[in-house]
Amino acid sequence: MAPAFFSRFRRGAGPATDGTTNGAAPPPAEQRPAPARRRPLPPAGRLRRDRRALIRVREQRVRDLGGLVLELVRRDAFREDLVYEQCSELIGIDERIQELDALLATATAVRRTPPAARCTCGAPILWGSHFCANCGRPVTTETEGQAPDASAEDEAARPE
């Protein structure tokens, strides 16, 4: 059950991961396929679902590791190699959770809309409007509103 379950979370899923082609010569440069395009980000819901499943597996493995260490000490047959093996699996799960967190942050940041512009009174300014719907002030960008004041301050500060 465990190998089939973890195969779903592994990044590279291929029969030969070492790059060999079972004794055959590599294809010439003309026959090589073009490099694959970047895969689009998976939907945020799928990332969250995979993350929740991995967290459940991690919690179970931590409990199993604690029980294993307890039993090994109780029977006075402590085996470091077995504990290290279990810990390395846990570290691998933690790394995959961190990868999913980074992907999830990227996926949600890409789909997030920028905040709407606001008037000085706090009302949102609709796109294309020339006046605030709440207070009636003319809509200007911040740089336009600050440029005349900054130039007036510069002129007043200059000695003649």
Side-chain angles (χ1 to χ4, degrees):
M1 180 184 134
F5 181 75
F6 284 121
S7 65
R8 201 170 77 171
F9 299 112
R10 290 204 172 94
R11 280 181 266 154
T17 57
D18 59 352
T20 60
T21 56
N22 298 332
E30 305 87 38
Q31 296 177 358
R32 289 185 188 152
R37 288 182 155 180
R38 262 182 111 176
R39 292 186 304 182
L41 287 173
R46 179 173 170 218
L47 291 173
R48 285 187 202 104
R49 185 172 51 246
D50 290 348
R51 184 178 184 278
R52 278 192 306 267
L54 274 175
I55 287 175
R56 279 189 230 112
V57 168
R58 181 187 175 276
E59 289 172 356
Q60 182 66 37
R61 291 289 176 101
V62 167
R63 279 187 241 127
D64 291 347
L65 178 64
L68 175 70
V69 169
L70 177 69
E71 286 299 316
L72 289 175
V73 169
R74 182 182 291 165
R75 294 178 185 193
D76 198 26
F78 192 78
R79 289 182 46 200
E80 278 188 45
D81 59 334
L82 186 60
V83 174
Y84 282 134
E85 180 183 328
Q86 296 293 320
C87 288
S88 66
E89 288 181 16
L90 272 171
I91 290 170
I93 292 172
D94 282 339
E95 289 172 354
R96 182 61 183 149
I97 289 173
Q98 289 174 353
E99 289 174 6
L100 286 174
D101 286 340
L103 282 172
L104 188 59
T106 304
T108 56
V110 167
R111 294 179 178 102
R112 191 172 292 151
T113 59
R118 298 212 172 253
C119 180
T120 53
C121 70
I125 298 174
L126 300 175
W127 185 82
S129 62
H130 297 285
F131 296 96
C132 175
N134 188 37
C135 66
R137 288 188 183 127
V139 175
T140 58
T141 60
E142 291 179 4
T143 57
E144 291 175 358
Q146 292 174 357
D149 296 335
S151 62
E153 291 175 4
D154 291 340
E155 289 175 15
R158 284 189 200 155
E160 289 185 28

